[in-house]
Amino acid sequence: EAQVTQNPRYLITVTGKKLTVTCSQNMNHEYMSWYRQDPGLGLRQIYYSMNVEVTDKGDVPEGYKVSRKEKRNFPLILESPSPNQTSLYFCASSPRGGGSDTQYFGPGTRLTVL
Amino acid sequence: GENVEQHPSTLSVQEGDSAVIKCTYSDSASNYFPWYKQELGKRPQLIIDIRSNVGEKKDQRIAVTLNKTAKHFSLHITETQPEDSAVYFCAAHFSGSARQLTFGSGTQLTVLP
């Protein structure tokens, strides 16, 4: 089944404790991105990747890191999480990027930073 | 950068009535305008999209209209049903940008039985 998967789905952590949210897609998509969703703010892009080893900042990259060592995986790393990073996170992929492709979203990761 | 404003933030309609959600965008070079539906606890999913060379597109009970001059586009849902209750997001893509999409803030649609 073609899909985007994320793990974990739920995470409660404490300030400063490094964490990684994994994202994987099995559709051979070139483009992957991370969004955070907050009430009243919609979906805001954190980072995106046009292809392997190519990543760039979205609209809200502060406090996050990403890597794209393999085409299928695009982990989101929070080196020192803070309470303002409490949010619902979505990974997404699309065949080619460029904005005119359908985005396929993962199931979401709800993160709480205490 | 690109900015997308979406209104209203909440919308309640009676089952069978129509619902309209409106979005405006800031960059006149935007060329692709999708709409995503997010049911409670689920991921956003594309329901319809329109490109800048088209003024209107329909898919059964759902339609999207685009006014490039005014830089706004709208989602129209006719004969609403309880299963249409969800959060709807509009988005716009700026031609030439690698950043994919800029999303609106979302509209919580509630269809009352």
Side-chain angles (χ1 to χ4, degrees), chain A residues 4-5 10 12 20-21 28 33-34 41 45 52 54 58-59 64 96 98-100 102 109 112:
Chain A
V4 179
T5 58
Y10 303 90
I12 300 174
T20 299
V21 184
N28 201 37
S33 60
W34 277 101
L41 297 177
Q45 192 178 51
V52 175
V54 180
D59 295 318
Y64 305 94
R96 291 171 299 278
S100 59
T102 300
T109 295
T112 301

Side-chain angles (χ1 to χ4, degrees), chain A residues 38-52:
Chain A
D38 302 288
L41 297 177
L43 291 152
R44 294 181 293 165
Q45 192 178 51
I46 302 170
Y47 269 94
Y48 64 94
S49 170
M50 297 289 286
N51 213 325
V52 175

Side-chain angles (χ1 to χ4, degrees), chain A residues 4 9 31 35 37 40-43 45 48 50 57-59 88 90 94 97-103 105-107, chain B residues 31-32 34 36 38 41-46 49 51 87 89 93-106:
Chain A
V4 179
R9 296 289 313 280
Y31 194 107
Y35 293 88
Q37 183 178 6
L41 297 177
L43 291 152
Q45 192 178 51
Y48 64 94
M50 297 289 286
K57 297 176 181 179
D59 295 318
L88 178 58
F90 286 100
S94 62
S100 59
D101 286 341
T102 300
Q103 296 222 47
F105 284 87
Chain B
N31 63 354
Y32 174 64
Y36 284 80
Q38 185 180 29
K42 302 285 183 64
R43 70 193 79 188
Q45 291 191 304
L46 179 73
D49 56 13
R51 300 186 187 275
V87 177
F89 291 100
H93 172 249
F94 168 50
S95 176
S97 168
R99 283 194 178 186
Q100 284 281 36
L101 301 173
T102 299
F103 284 84
S105 55

Side-chain angles (χ1 to χ4, degrees), chain A residues 25-90:
Chain A
Q25 50 92 7
N26 62 0
M27 297 172 279
N28 201 37
H29 286 173
E30 292 185 358
Y31 194 107
M32 298 184 75
S33 60
W34 277 101
Y35 293 88
R36 61 178 289 174
Q37 183 178 6
D38 302 288
L41 297 177
L43 291 152
R44 294 181 293 165
Q45 192 178 51
I46 302 170
Y47 269 94
Y48 64 94
S49 170
M50 297 289 286
N51 213 325
V52 175
E53 302 292 2
V54 180
T55 63
D56 208 345
K57 297 176 181 179
D59 295 318
V60 287
E62 294 76 22
Y64 305 94
K65 287 175 57 178
V66 293
S67 69
R68 187 90 181 274
K69 295 178 180 163
E70 306 165 284
K71 196 170 187 178
R72 62 183 294 127
N73 297 324
F74 190 46
L76 179 69
I77 303 157
L78 284 72
E79 295 270 5
S80 183
S82 62
N84 63 11
Q85 292 178 298
T86 293
S87 187
L88 178 58
Y89 291 88
F90 286 100

Side-chain angles (χ1 to χ4, degrees), chain B residues 20-108:
Chain B
V20 180
I21 303 170
K22 299 180 179 181
C23 290
T24 60
Y25 58 97
S26 59
D27 196 319
S28 58
S30 295
N31 63 354
Y32 174 64
F33 308 90
W35 286 87
Y36 284 80
K37 175 183 180 182
Q38 185 180 29
E39 297 177 354
L40 186 63
K42 302 285 183 64
R43 70 193 79 188
Q45 291 191 304
L46 179 73
I47 55 171
I48 195 167
D49 56 13
I50 192 168
R51 300 186 187 275
S52 57
N53 59 348
V54 176
E56 182 176 5
K57 184 177 179 181
K58 289 184 179 179
D59 182 3
Q60 300 182 338
R61 297 186 295 108
I62 293 173
V64 57
T65 59
L66 172 64
N67 183 327
K68 288 175 58 180
T69 303
K71 293 190 287 186
H72 68 70
F73 56 112
S74 301
L75 178 70
H76 304 254
I77 306 174
T78 59
E79 301 173 18
T80 53
Q81 301 168 3
E83 53 264 39
D84 294 329
S85 296
V87 177
Y88 292 82
F89 291 100
C90 63
H93 172 249
F94 168 50
S95 176
S97 168
R99 283 194 178 186
Q100 284 281 36
L101 301 173
T102 299
F103 284 84
S105 55
T107 296
Q108 172 67 62

